[in-house]
Amino acid sequence: MELKPARILALETSCDETACAIIENGRALLSSVVASQMEIHARYGGVYPEVASRQHVLSVTPVVEQALAQAHLTLKDIDALAVTQGPGLAGSLVVGMNMAKGLALGSGLPLLGVNHLEGHLYSAWVYESGELVPPAPQFPLMALLVSGGHTELNLMTDHLTYQRLGSTLDDAAGEAFDKVARLLELGYPGGPAIQKSAEEGDPNRFHFPRAWLEGTWDFSFSGLKTAVLYEIRELQKKTHTLPVPDLAASFQKAVVDVLFKKTINAAREFGAKEILVAGGVSANRMLRQTFRAQTEFPVHIPPLSLCTDNAAMIASAGYHRYALGHVSQMDMDVMPTWPLP
Ligand code: KG4
Ligand code: ZN
């Protein structure tokens, strides 16, 4: 499909990153600025919503100015604006939404509300401007979305066309990483902390349960988290020093095992040509290596900088909506529905 050329400026403020990016033709990244609040929230062991929303208010204008300056552009060079509409923290989303509406009203540019999850999937289309153009994902595509709030398998048969096959019944994969990191006192955010500790550990020391949920494409990670907790309690009866790296490595292996095998099986079953993995947990080294080691399907995983929250992915999804003639109403609210109609 030939899509019309356009530059999109997008804003993302759904959680604890204030981000703005500019993308050309849905793929070429002209600039991407992410103001992370991670250090502030680390003090609380997780995202503190009220603090997040106040930080967005402070950062949003400078972040937009920086994104334009880095791309050597002004709003006159932009064809449309995009903004994360949800899901996310309401008080955070509303800051980006109001900024985007203000920019749209002031400039007369069309505005597109983008679902954050759709944005994560589109991060796999983005490449740094000046890089050799990587091949775009081909449909039908089996898309595994693994973030802090969601774990889903979606079959994409075309742009913006999703069939949600399954999702988590309890904790999201990223949430499981964060909760187990807390049990192991590894700090926040848990994913990178578990990965680091796991690199020193033996992934085969503990055999934690895998919830295969046969006959469905759903996931479940709360049993695994509880199994880690019970193992810790048992170990604490015998020793003062927990084998943290072995626990982290065995936990990580259990998560990756399930995500990988279910995705490959779904790709086979639904006749997908290729696989896409996106969302914060797709930054996980073991997950990336495991998907890349198989040769049955070409696999698309965004570069590390685009796995966790960013605005480039919102700009890419926004572009694909804009190119197909979508535009949002100025009275749109935060919190859209998913899967999208
Ligand atoms: O996509 P994301 O930035 O935010 C949401 O939309 O939720 O995902 C954040 C999640 C957190 O749970 C974090 O622990 C996890 O992604 N994460 C990782 C890694 N980096 C981030 N999980 C495992 N390994 C990593 N390297
Ligand atoms: Zn996200």
Side-chain angles (χ1 to χ4, degrees), residues 63 69 86-87 90-91 109 121 152 155 160 186 191 207 233 253 267 269 273 278 287 296 300 304 328 341:
V63 159
L109 291 171
L121 298 182
E152 312 193 333
L155 177 66
L160 314 177
L186 288 171
H207 188 82
R233 286 191 185 151
K253 186 169 183 225
E269 173 102 8
K273 268 199 208 153
L287 186 73
E296 191 177 342
H300 302 266
L304 286 178
S328 300

Side-chain angles (χ1 to χ4, degrees), residues 7-30:
R7 279 194 199 122
I8 310 289
L9 178 144
L11 279 160
E12 148 66 38
T13 63
S14 68
C15 190
D16 59 343
E17 329 273 4
T18 320
C20 181
I22 303 173
I23 281 243
E24 199 158 58
N25 303 338
R27 299 199 63 202
L29 189 57
L30 304 186

Side-chain angles (χ1 to χ4, degrees), residues 204-232:
N204 299 315
R205 164 117 183 241
F206 303 100
H207 188 82
F208 290 128
R210 277 93 166 132
W212 294 112
L213 306 181
E214 300 284 355
T216 79
W217 301 107
D218 289 329
F219 299 92
S220 164
F221 295 105
S222 74
L224 169 60
K225 175 194 65 192
T226 309
V228 176
L229 173 66
Y230 287 171
E231 190 62 55
I232 292 173

Side-chain angles (χ1 to χ4, degrees), residues 133-206:
V133 181
Q138 297 297 306
F139 306 112
L141 187 61
M142 188 52 64
L144 172 69
L145 173 74
V146 268
S147 71
H150 295 83
T151 298
E152 312 193 333
L153 268 172
N154 282 283
L155 177 66
M156 279 184 85
T157 46
D158 202 345
H159 279 297
L160 314 177
T161 312
Y162 314 93
Q163 186 189 342
R164 185 164 69 175
L165 305 174
S167 57
T168 182
L169 302 180
D170 38 62
D171 293 346
E175 193 179 353
F177 269 93
D178 294 335
K179 287 180 174 170
V180 169
R182 211 168 298 157
L183 294 177
L184 297 175
E185 297 181 3
L186 288 171
Y188 168 87
I194 296 250
Q195 172 177 308
K196 188 156 181 273
S197 175
E199 270 154 24
E200 315 284 308
D202 173 6
N204 299 315
R205 164 117 183 241
F206 303 100

Side-chain angles (χ1 to χ4, degrees), residues 18 97 116 118 215 220 288:
T18 320
M97 180 59 80
H116 183 81
E118 178 172 68
S220 164
R288 297 169 83 86

Side-chain angles (χ1 to χ4, degrees), residues 1 6 25 29 43 46 50 59 62 67 73 87 100 103 107 138 193 196 199 210 262 277 289 324 335:
M1 178 176 46
N25 303 338
L29 189 57
R43 268 180 252 163
E50 180 60 26
S59 306
L73 297 173
L103 289 172
S107 62
Q138 297 297 306
K196 188 156 181 273
E199 270 154 24
R210 277 93 166 132
K262 287 205 86 147
V277 187
Q289 283 170 351
L324 291 178
M335 303 291 183

